[in-house]
Amino acid sequence: MAEEGESERAEAVVAMGSMDSSESRWVFQDDDDSEIEGEEGDGDEDEDEEDEDGTPPRTALDSDDDGNAAHRLIRTGPRIDSFDVEALEVPGAPRNDYEGISVGRRIVIACQILGVVFGDVGTSPLYAFSVMFTKAPINGNEDVIGALSLVLYTLIIIPLVKYVLIVLWANDDGEGGTFALYSLICRHAKVSLLPNQLPSDARISSFRLKVPSAELERSLKIKERLENSLTLKRLLLILVLAGTSMVIADGVVTPAMSVVSAVGGLKVGVAAIGEAEVMTISVAFLVVLFSVQKFGTSKVGLAVGPALFIWFCSLAGIGIYNIIKYDTSVFRAFNPIHIYFFFKRNTSKAWYALGGCLLCATGSEAMFADLCYFSVRSVQLTFVFLVLPCLMLGYMGQAAYLMDNHSNYEQVFFSSIPSGAFWPILIIANVAALIASRTMTTATFSCIKQSTVLGCFPRLKIIHTSRKFMGQIYIPAINWFLMVACVILVCSISSITEIGNAYGIVELGVMMMTTVLVTIVMLLIWQINIIIVLSFVVIFLGLELTFFSSVLWSVGDGSWIILVFAVVMFLVMYIWNYGSKLKYETEVKQKMSMDLLRELGSNLGTVRAPGIGLLYNELVKGIPAIFGHFLTTLPAIHSMIIFVCIKYVPVPVVPQSERFLFRRVCPKSYHIFRCIARYGYKDVRKENHQAFEQLLIESLEKFIRREAQERSLESDSDEDMDSEGDNCGAIIAPNGSLYSLNAPLLAEYTQDGNTISEASTSDEVRPVVEAAPSSDPEQSLERELSFIRKAKESGVVYLLGHGDIRARKDSWFIKKLIINYFYAFLRKNCRRGIANLSVPHSHLMQVGMTYMV
């Protein structure tokens, strides 16, 4: 992908800044002065394809051959390729969903933030002290002060410092969660195991890549190491899948813990209420909770937001009342020396109590995972000025009550409520517990949506519950699955302490994975000082490992159930990713030969009937093998064929003007094109098939017009080009950017068959430029556009190829078990990719094919 005659090249070390798709690129240059794409490459697929003259094309960065070559970074202008024509319309980054909204709407959003984001962390006072003092009984007032100090500084260090001040800024264009972090890393380093990346992906405006900073050398070394090491890629994926499985498990244990602890308050108000009654009422509440989930985040969040505001005010009010009534000396807990005294007096019991202390920080990950619903600044301000002060006052009030009532720690929150306010607070507490349960459920939906579009979870039906905010979703299958798992957990583990231990395990699992991924983001993307990075890792990972050692010690008490659940979810995601990767690699290897298509001629060895055939496949390059099955199975094939690949790129949103990329696969007489429809993982695919067809055809016509314009400009440019190729033509994009024609849109050939340029993102056949056409180019263009319109009028048919995979007979037993049974079961029961377009059956043609892997 080199240009010997590139004009200006600047040696790189510059300050960090933003770089969108219309600005110049940073690329690697090895010793022979050839350029290698620095952000995205074509992967190993390039090795399997050849140009028309049989010469294998030059590949992007190849870790096997070029790993030891010396590279240096240069800056060069943007490249243009036929796959990038539509991507020239760069309108800028997508507008924030919350720009231009009224003050009233901002108040509504503030209520939704309380209801959606902070419900989990807001209900922690119901059970944190109860679990702590169950493991480390109170022997004196100093134990209460020490435990309170431990809770206060846990709240400050984990939710405030780590998540609110640091982790929230590691969002992927407003999207949070473990997979958002993984997507962010994939965008800056080629670490995805699915080899379908294209250089054109990096030119999407929402990529927002950053130019190198003062920490350039370290960042590039990390990037190169990640891209060249298959082991590191797999390890990174395993960490992400493990974190996501813990988030899903958290979606089970959070409702159980919140609801059971809230309903348990009835034992304080009604003496006849026992454990059996609490469990029955909790199960009923959970069924109601998951039943109303389908109404969406906007509706439910707006309804429960004011209720949660009352809850936080109640926490603060009860806390102030108890501090004044019982003991104002609890303010001594802000001195961290009391934490040391607490461990000195209780030793191993204090260490066991760490698992209960962590429960005060539960919901921290939900703040990050639910970030897609709201802006970073709104979440930060709400936490700092409302949530955190109310939580601190609530815990201090409970500690003040315990100073005079050492034995009432089991239901300390409800016991500390003034008698006249008990029943109203009990009702508010149960409402808040239901809200907290929803918080983690919505976070689970977000993580599963992200993992699905990035190829790590089977496709499921996703319902978008808000027309205005596209991030608000509901997944019916996951909702009912979580409900069943949650009811089973409540029925099998009735002890708050055991559920709390399970809660701590999954929370810490997610927190540790987030710490590791944010560390990679700091090194690779933020490129900040190594001292800061090391401090972040040592402080937070060290603290989380200490907490984890405490909760893991009690895993045999019953909390192992949630670990088994998390392992099952991890295996589902890993098997799906492994099978999808094998299927894609096999389809790449078994692509149709271009020589065969040339031998068949423009009629493809069959009858070309009027109409357009959209052949859906997963390949971003080459002719899929399933196309050969259509040629041999059908009596005729459509006069125009478009290979359509629905591809998700690691960005939240792809602007509509950058949705489609086109390329002419064969010579013009074949009327065969490739179209890559690119979506971000927050994009909503709700187009009906008529709208999709109309948008696709319009984009194809734009591509053909610009292709003709570019050919004309290049032919004019060739007349004025000197021997060194310094004087070259240019094309002005719709956004006003000037693009050099050193790298032409189409890879042209000289008369002796040698390529002039290889700036293409695909190595499909590049037709030899014919001699001067006998007809006017404008007439040729109009004939082709007229051909497209007539084909569209004849009808559009969707050609679907269902490719299944089976393990070879000589494969290992484990591989046969995974591919032939587990992956086959998941693929059989997942949602078909075409389902979102709601295509009538009369417009569908399907052919099945089995690959042996």
Side-chain angles (χ1 to χ4, degrees):
M1 300 175 61
E3 278 300 322
E4 297 287 346
E6 286 284 2
S7 48
E8 298 179 355
R9 296 179 173 177
E11 296 292 341
V13 174
V14 297
M16 181 185 298
S18 298
M19 183 177 84
D20 61 22
S21 56
S22 66
E23 294 177 341
S24 54
R25 304 176 300 127
W26 288 92
V27 300
F28 287 115
Q29 184 185 51
D30 54 19
D31 291 337
D32 63 356
D33 204 34
S34 62
E35 289 177 17
I36 303 174
E37 287 282 355
E39 295 298 338
E40 295 282 349
D42 292 342
D44 297 332
E45 294 174 43
D46 293 322
E47 300 174 1
D48 299 326
E49 298 190 17
E50 295 184 353
D51 290 338
E52 208 171 77
D53 61 354
T55 303
R58 282 176 287 179
T59 65
L61 184 60
D62 188 334
S63 59
D64 294 331
D65 297 334
D66 300 331
N68 297 324
H71 299 300
R72 61 191 179 95
L73 201 70
I74 65 169
R75 191 171 189 176
T76 180
R79 287 289 184 83
I80 307 298
D81 181 78
S82 57
F83 256 18
D84 299 329
V85 172
E86 293 301 316
L88 291 180
E89 296 183 357
V90 180
R95 188 179 67 88
N96 189 290
D97 290 339
Y98 300 96
E99 289 181 1
I101 58 178
S102 63
V103 175
R105 184 60 187 165
R106 291 179 186 273
I107 296 175
V108 171
I109 292 173
C111 290
Q112 291 179 345
I113 291 175
L114 286 175
V116 175
V117 178
F118 296 115
D120 194 358
V121 71
T123 55
S124 59
L126 290 174
Y127 43 76
F129 272 148
S130 300
V131 177
M132 279 190 73
F133 291 122
T134 299
K135 297 182 177 182
I138 301 174
N139 296 319
N141 287 346
E142 286 300 320
D143 287 343
V144 177
I145 296 296
L148 175 61
S149 182
L150 194 58
V151 167
L152 292 179
Y153 279 98
T154 301
L155 276 174
I156 292 172
I157 293 174
I158 294 181
L160 178 61
V161 177
K162 178 186 174 182
Y163 279 92
V164 173
L165 299 183
I166 300 176
V167 173
L168 288 186
W169 292 113
N171 67 86
D172 187 14
D173 197 18
E175 194 81 5
T178 51
F179 259 99
L181 289 172
Y182 183 61
S183 168
L184 195 61
I185 295 170
C186 287
R187 193 152 76 244
H188 290 78
K190 221 173 63 173
V191 296
S192 175
L193 291 177
L194 194 63
N196 66 345
Q197 299 89 9
L198 290 173
S200 56
D201 295 339
R203 296 181 186 58
I204 299 175
S205 60
S206 49
F207 253 74
R208 294 183 181 177
L209 299 178
K210 294 181 178 179
V211 299
S213 71
E215 304 291 335
L216 169 64
E217 183 177 356
R218 187 192 68 214
S219 178
L220 291 181
K221 286 181 180 179
I222 294 172
K223 180 178 185 294
E224 184 178 2
R225 185 69 181 272
L226 284 173
E227 291 180 341
N228 295 340
S229 174
L230 182 60
T231 301
L232 289 179
K233 290 181 182 180
R234 288 174 176 170
L235 180 60
L236 181 61
L237 178 65
I238 289 173
L239 289 176
V240 172
L241 296 184
T244 305
S245 65
M246 290 294 183
V247 171
I248 299 173
D250 207 352
V252 174
V253 72
T254 296
M257 187 68 179
S258 301
V259 173
V260 171
S261 59
V263 175
L266 289 172
K267 293 189 293 184
V268 176
V270 182
I273 298 291
E275 290 292 340
E277 290 77 11
V278 169
M279 184 182 69
T280 302
I281 297 173
S282 299
V283 169
F285 276 13
L286 289 171
V287 172
V288 172
L289 164 72
F290 285 100
S291 298
V292 301
Q293 190 77 40
K294 63 183 178 181
F295 294 109
T297 301
S298 294
K299 302 181 182 66
V300 179
L302 181 59
V304 302
L308 206 60
F309 177 76
I310 297 174
W311 165 251
F312 280 112
C313 292
S314 300
L315 282 178
I318 295 171
I320 294 172
Y321 171 83
N322 287 329
I323 292 171
I324 296 174
K325 180 179 180 180
Y326 293 104
D327 198 335
T328 58
S329 65
V330 293
F331 286 98
R332 292 187 294 138
F334 282 102
N335 186 349
I337 193 64
H338 292 286
I339 298 176
Y340 168 74
F341 293 149
F342 180 69
F343 278 92
K344 184 179 179 179
R345 284 189 304 272
N346 296 279
T347 59
S348 60
K349 290 182 179 179
W351 178 64
Y352 290 139
L354 284 177
C357 176
L358 176 75
L359 297 181
C360 72
T362 56
S364 301
E365 188 65 31
M367 286 192 294
F368 185 46
D370 284 329
L371 187 62
C372 60
Y373 299 100
F374 309 102
S375 66
V376 174
R377 186 64 66 189
S378 61
V379 173
Q380 290 176 325
L381 293 176
T382 305
F383 183 83
V384 171
F385 292 105
L386 176 62
V387 175
L388 184 61
C390 292
L391 287 175
M392 285 185 167
L393 287 172
Y395 283 114
M396 292 170 69
Q398 292 182 36
Y401 172 81
L402 288 174
M403 298 284 275
D404 288 346
N405 302 274
H406 292 174
S407 60
N408 290 344
Y409 62 83
E410 289 187 1
Q411 291 290 341
V412 58
F413 174 78
F414 292 104
S415 299
S416 66
I417 300 174
S419 57
F422 177 80
W423 289 106
I425 297 298
L426 177 65
I427 294 174
I428 296 173
N430 279 270
V431 172
L434 295 176
I435 297 169
S437 304
R438 289 196 67 264
T439 299
M440 210 59 224
T441 306
T442 55
T444 303
F445 291 160
S446 297
C447 287
I448 289 179
K449 165 84 183 298
Q450 295 169 12
S451 59
T452 298
V453 300
L454 293 177
C456 296
F457 202 91
R459 290 184 296 269
L460 299 171
K461 182 180 181 180
I462 298 176
I463 298 174
H464 296 266
T465 58
S466 174
R467 294 182 179 179
K468 181 174 178 59
F469 304 117
M470 60 186 173
Q472 301 180 3
I473 60 174
Y474 167 68
I475 307 178
I478 296 298
N479 184 67
W480 303 120
F481 176 70
L482 292 178
M483 186 193 75
V484 172
C486 190
V487 169
I488 293 175
L489 180 66
V490 170
C491 294
S492 58
I493 305 179
S494 57
S495 170
I496 287 291
T497 303
E498 293 180 6
I499 298 178
N501 199 61
Y503 203 177
I505 291 175
V506 296
E507 281 286 338
L508 282 167
V510 181
M511 288 179 180
M512 289 189 293
M513 298 306 120
T514 300
T515 301
V516 173
L517 293 175
V518 171
T519 301
I520 297 175
V521 169
M522 287 180 170
L523 292 170
L524 181 67
I525 304 170
W526 291 356
Q527 301 173 7
I528 60 179
N529 191 280
I530 191 66
I531 303 298
I532 300 177
V533 178
L534 290 177
S535 301
F536 177 82
V537 174
V538 170
I539 293 174
F540 293 108
L541 191 58
L543 186 63
E544 288 157 2
L545 286 173
T546 303
F547 279 113
F548 193 67
S549 65
S550 174
V551 296
L552 204 60
W553 187 262
S554 305
V555 72
D557 295 341
S559 54
W560 58 269
I561 295 177
I562 204 67
L563 275 180
V564 172
F565 178 84
V567 169
V568 170
M569 298 309 302
F570 172 83
L571 292 176
V572 167
M573 291 187 288
Y574 190 82
I575 289 172
W576 181 261
N577 180 265
Y578 175 71
S580 300
K581 177 176 175 291
L582 281 182
K583 179 176 178 292
Y584 187 88
E585 290 175 345
T586 305
E587 289 180 343
V588 170
K589 293 177 182 178
Q590 299 187 12
K591 292 177 296 190
M592 285 187 64
S593 169
M594 294 304 304
D595 292 334
L596 176 60
L597 284 185
R598 286 196 296 270
E599 292 175 3
L600 293 175
S602 59
N603 287 330
L604 301 177
T606 184
V607 179
R608 301 295 293 268
I612 298 177
L614 302 181
L615 195 154
Y616 277 76
N617 68 104
E618 297 180 4
L619 295 185
V620 295
K621 304 176 189 176
I623 308 298
I626 201 74
F627 183 57
H629 280 252
F630 278 106
L631 292 178
T632 56
T633 304
L634 303 179
I637 200 69
H638 299 83
S639 58
M640 175 174 289
I641 298 294
I642 302 177
F643 299 123
V644 180
C645 172
I646 303 294
K647 178 185 176 183
Y648 286 95
V649 291
V651 296
V653 177
V654 176
Q656 189 81 320
S657 59
E658 302 177 49
R659 176 80 66 217
F660 296 107
L661 296 181
F662 282 91
R663 184 175 181 81
R664 196 184 294 275
V665 177
C666 294
K668 188 177 293 187
S669 59
Y670 282 66
H671 300 295
I672 299 179
F673 298 87
R674 172 173 302 286
C675 170
I676 297 180
R678 304 180 296 181
Y679 292 84
Y681 54 79
K682 280 181 64 177
D683 277 326
V684 182
R685 287 184 55 200
K686 297 180 67 175
E687 316 106 321
N688 57 43
H689 68 98
Q690 293 98 339
F692 182 82
E693 293 167 9
Q694 183 66 27
L695 187 60
L696 186 144
I697 297 302
E698 289 177 357
S699 299
L700 176 60
E701 290 179 351
K702 288 182 182 179
F703 162 74
I704 291 175
R705 291 182 186 277
R706 290 179 180 173
E707 178 191 59
Q709 179 187 16
E710 180 64 13
R711 284 184 179 276
S712 175
L713 289 173
E714 285 185 352
S715 62
D716 295 340
S717 158
D718 289 341
E719 297 177 0
D720 300 328
M721 188 178 300
D722 61 17
S723 59
E724 295 181 358
D726 291 335
N727 300 322
C728 55
I731 183 172
I732 299 177
N735 63 354
S737 300
L738 184 65
Y739 290 88
S740 168
L741 290 184
N742 271 338
L745 278 175
L746 296 178
E748 306 290 359
Y749 282 73
T750 58
Q751 293 182 355
D752 59 358
N754 295 324
T755 58
I756 295 176
S757 170
E758 295 191 33
S760 98
T761 61
S762 175
D763 48 356
E764 294 165 7
V765 61
R766 304 175 176 89
V768 177
V769 178
E770 300 172 358
S774 56
S775 60
D776 186 3
E778 292 186 4
Q779 294 180 359
S780 175
L781 172 63
E782 290 303 323
R783 281 199 301 269
E784 186 167 14
L785 294 177
S786 175
F787 181 87
I788 293 175
R789 297 187 189 104
K790 290 180 180 178
K792 174 67 168 61
E793 293 172 358
S794 300
V796 177
V797 176
Y798 292 76
L799 309 175
L800 304 183
H802 296 304
D804 293 323
I805 60 173
R806 302 280 295 178
R808 293 192 182 95
K809 293 183 178 180
D810 57 348
S811 300
W812 290 88
F813 170 76
I814 298 297
K815 184 177 180 180
K816 290 181 180 179
L817 184 66
I818 292 174
I819 297 301
N820 296 347
Y821 295 96
F822 295 149
Y823 178 75
F825 173 80
L826 294 175
R827 188 170 177 81
K828 181 179 179 180
N829 291 278
C830 75
R831 185 175 175 86
R832 295 290 183 184
I834 194 65
N836 289 332
L837 292 178
S838 61
V839 180
H841 290 288
S842 59
H843 291 191
L844 288 176
M845 299 182 69
Q846 304 185 44
V847 171
M849 185 173 182
T850 301
Y851 300 102
M852 302 304 294
V853 297

